Amino acid sequence: MEKVSIRDVASRAGVSVSTVSRALSRPEMVSESTRRKIQAIAEELDFSVSRTAGNLKSGKSRRIALLVGSNKIEWFTANIMEGLNSVILDQGYDLVFYPISSVEDRRAFFEELPVRNNVDAVIISSFTATAKEITRLHSAHVPLVGINSPSTLNFSATVHTSDRTGMKLAIRHLSLLGHRKILYIYQTFHSSIKFSSYGRIQAFKDACAKKPGITGIVKSFENPHEAFDALTTGILSEDDPPTAVCVHQDSQALPFLFRAQSIGLSIPDDLSIMGYDDSSFAQDVGLTTIRQDPYAMGREAASKALQLIESREPEIQHEEFPVELVVRRSTGEIRKHQLF
Amino acid sequence: MEKVSIRDVASRAGVSVSTVSRALSRPEMVSESTRRKIQAIAEELDFSVSRTAGNLKSGKSRRIALLVGSNKIEWFTANIMEGLNSVILDQGYDLVFYPISSVEDRRAFFEELPVRNNVDAVIISSFTATAKEITRLHSAHVPLVGINSPSTLNFSATVHTSDRTGMKLAIRHLSLLGHRKILYIYQTFHSSIKFSSYGRIQAFKDACAKKPGITGIVKSFENPHEAFDALTTGILSEDDPPTAVCVHQDSQALPFLFRAQSIGLSIPDDLSIMGYDDSSFAQDVGLTTIRQDPYAMGREAASKALQLIESREPEIQHEEFPVELVVRRSTGEIRKHQLF
DNA sequence: CTGAAAGCGCTTACAG
DNA sequence: CTGAAAGCGCTTACAG
């Protein structure tokens, strides 16, 4: 059985190619009897329309590119993808994933713009491009939607959550529990891409600075396992050590939680720990965290992209999604005679 | 700046469209001077070749579909995708993700075969289609590659790991530690798709049956949190309770680990716990597990798909990937006077 | 090394 | 309601 094209169906049905095309894509334009015959034959021949041809005609590719600053698909990215897929697949669009893990990747991407005639919209998650790079996209008439982009400049539309709000919630929560010295830890980024996550670190510092009596300390680590030990030792040896720790994201908090317990610290009595994200297992381990909803952001980014593709301006060009404090067992009141 | 086509470049360079096409896709066929001029003009005009047109000509779409039995992208699927991407992106192929979450979805997919003229290969991960469905794919000349498919029948090629081997390793490990009564727990699947994971459960039963003196019990649960309590209560109230638990996959073991600890069980002294996968956090929490490598399987599946697209038979049609026992802190020797 | 022409598989104004 | 024809943007035998 060789490839069957619209012509095979036409000749078999004794009608023109145009009629077959109409019968299949705009059936109301064709008389019932011919339509029926054509549809029967199409089924019999296992024929289905090639999108490529239609795309050529329309000048659209029915594809949307997702640029992510890493080739790892972790919780956040997976949820973004699920959200995007949940809206675009039904509209006949496909998602194409482009991992961009270095400034060089990014430059290559925007210089070659493989996307120009090959994608109807570009969505960038959690990093940004230079103004010049973005301009080139625009000049190719490709809408650009940002997700948690460090800057919204030049984007056709964006969705984001506020790290400032998130960190404010975290600091207030800890402050209410009586904590005064708070440590922020994150795993060093090894990408040359400017991640939006850096903003979270700054947001922590600012939130602490604004809250009188609170001291915020920021430390980074390379490898969770060795470094946690070093950090813990550091904490233990200080005279006035932090009583609470904010971890950059839930997935990095998990090993910390275990490490802390394994050296005999009881959580939250000896140390309060907070994560960020409310990702899948945060509930399982009782981690207090700041919830964000990348699935919802993905859906909205997709719908904005779709609108832009149809040359409609989204009602809200830059949309903020809420963050929420989720209190669980890993944070608690500071104790009078805290272990440290 | 309007859409620029190959014609614009040609007229600007004073050459024919054919020459521009060659200068860009097979530069060695064009004299250096014309090539240079054309490339300069292409760059100046921000021109890049539309893939769609080329695809029409070649009859290929340069896209590979990944069918997954869920719209959630969890550890396994994410790693498969990363593996696939790591080989196909460089070859100019894109990955298209089709979540298939019900038998209806699946039937719709294979009946409409949106894929027929629109995708060069189909990769199915962890579930399978009926023989008839697969035949239709074949008749459309679309190679089908399976990943951990319950049956390898009719697949052009497959990659898989052996759950039998994995469970054998697990049972041997526990048996060597002195465990005699072993519980297997898994979260109920709510999909109507036949997942490959069911095989793992059977493999557990078989492994226990083959090992004299070992009793294996299988239980499922709906919601991790309520159900773990019920299970634990059940365990605690039995006269001769299991001393070790195998959890279907690491992500389901995590809550169990925490639950167990929260009711005062010490792991592994009171209870040994094993996972399956060796996913990201297994190391963090010290979970003994069976390691599999979906990233490597994804890479191999991709390379088999690519070979099949080029009508080459893969050297190994059905390739098995190793599983490995990874011993960590969550399993230990059975104690003389085990708590239960 | 280069150009004119055919054609990939459709869709869609334009006529009838 | 239907058909003939043009055309989407390229690639590639075929000539020269």
Side-chain angles (χ1 to χ4, degrees), chain A residues 1 46 48 51 63 71-73 82 85 94 97 116-118 136 141 225 254 258 281 284-285, chain B residues 1 46-48 51 63 71 73 82 85 94 97 116-118 136 141 225 254 258 284-285:
Chain A
M1 201 185 301
D46 255 5
S48 55
R51 274 195 185 195
R63 309 197 307 172
N71 46 9
K72 288 292 298 171
I73 302 174
E82 290 165 21
N85 273 326
D94 292 323
F97 180 75
R116 194 161 343 163
N117 293 304
N118 298 303
R136 297 197 65 212
H141 299 284
H225 299 282
L254 186 61
F258 271 82
F281 58 78
D284 296 332
V285 302
Chain B
M1 201 185 299
D46 255 3
F47 171 75
S48 55
R51 275 193 182 197
R63 309 196 307 171
N71 46 10
I73 302 173
E82 290 165 21
N85 273 327
D94 291 324
F97 181 74
R116 193 161 343 167
N117 293 303
N118 297 304
R136 297 196 66 213
H141 299 284
H225 299 283
L254 186 61
F258 271 82
D284 296 333
V285 302

Side-chain angles (χ1 to χ4, degrees), chain A residues 72-86:
Chain A
K72 288 292 298 171
I73 302 174
E74 294 179 348
W75 178 83
F76 187 86
T77 300
N79 275 274
I80 290 290
M81 294 177 83
E82 290 165 21
L84 292 170
N85 273 326
S86 77

Side-chain angles (χ1 to χ4, degrees), chain A residues 1-4 42-43 45-53 55-56 59-63 71-74 77-79 81-82 85 89 94-99 111-118 136 139-141 224-225 251 254-255 257-259 261-262 281 283-286 295 329, chain B residues 1-4 42-43 45-53 55-56 59-63 71-74 77-79 81-82 85 89 94-99 111-118 136 139-141 224-225 251 254-255 257-259 261-262 281 283-286 295 329:
Chain A
M1 201 185 301
E2 264 319 302
K3 294 240 157 161
V4 16
E43 187 146 337
L45 294 184
D46 255 5
F47 172 73
S48 55
V49 171
S50 155
R51 274 195 185 195
T52 316
N55 292 345
L56 221 206
K60 297 292 180 190
S61 64
R62 307 233 105 199
R63 309 197 307 172
N71 46 9
K72 288 292 298 171
I73 302 174
E74 294 179 348
T77 300
N79 275 274
M81 294 177 83
E82 290 165 21
N85 273 326
L89 285 177
D94 292 323
L95 189 67
V96 184
F97 180 75
Y98 286 90
E111 264 176 20
E112 298 170 16
L113 268 196
V115 130
R116 194 161 343 163
N117 293 304
N118 298 303
R136 297 197 65 212
S139 75
H141 299 284
H225 299 282
S251 62
L254 186 61
L257 218 53
F258 271 82
R259 284 313 228 188
Q261 282 175 341
S262 74
F281 58 78
Q283 188 187 0
D284 296 332
V285 302
Y295 181 82
R329 303 188 308 274
Chain B
M1 201 185 299
E2 265 318 302
K3 293 239 158 163
V4 15
E43 185 145 340
L45 296 183
D46 255 3
F47 171 75
S48 55
V49 171
S50 155
R51 275 193 182 197
T52 315
N55 292 345
L56 223 206
K60 297 291 179 190
S61 65
R62 306 233 108 199
R63 309 196 307 171
N71 46 10
K72 286 290 299 171
I73 302 173
E74 294 180 346
T77 300
N79 274 273
M81 293 176 83
E82 290 165 21
N85 273 327
L89 285 176
D94 291 324
L95 189 66
V96 184
F97 181 74
Y98 286 89
E111 264 175 20
E112 297 169 17
L113 268 195
V115 132
R116 193 161 343 167
N117 293 303
N118 297 304
R136 297 196 66 213
S139 75
H141 299 284
H225 299 283
S251 62
L254 186 61
L257 217 55
F258 271 82
R259 284 316 226 185
Q261 282 175 341
S262 73
F281 58 77
Q283 188 186 0
D284 296 333
V285 302
Y295 181 82
R329 302 188 309 273

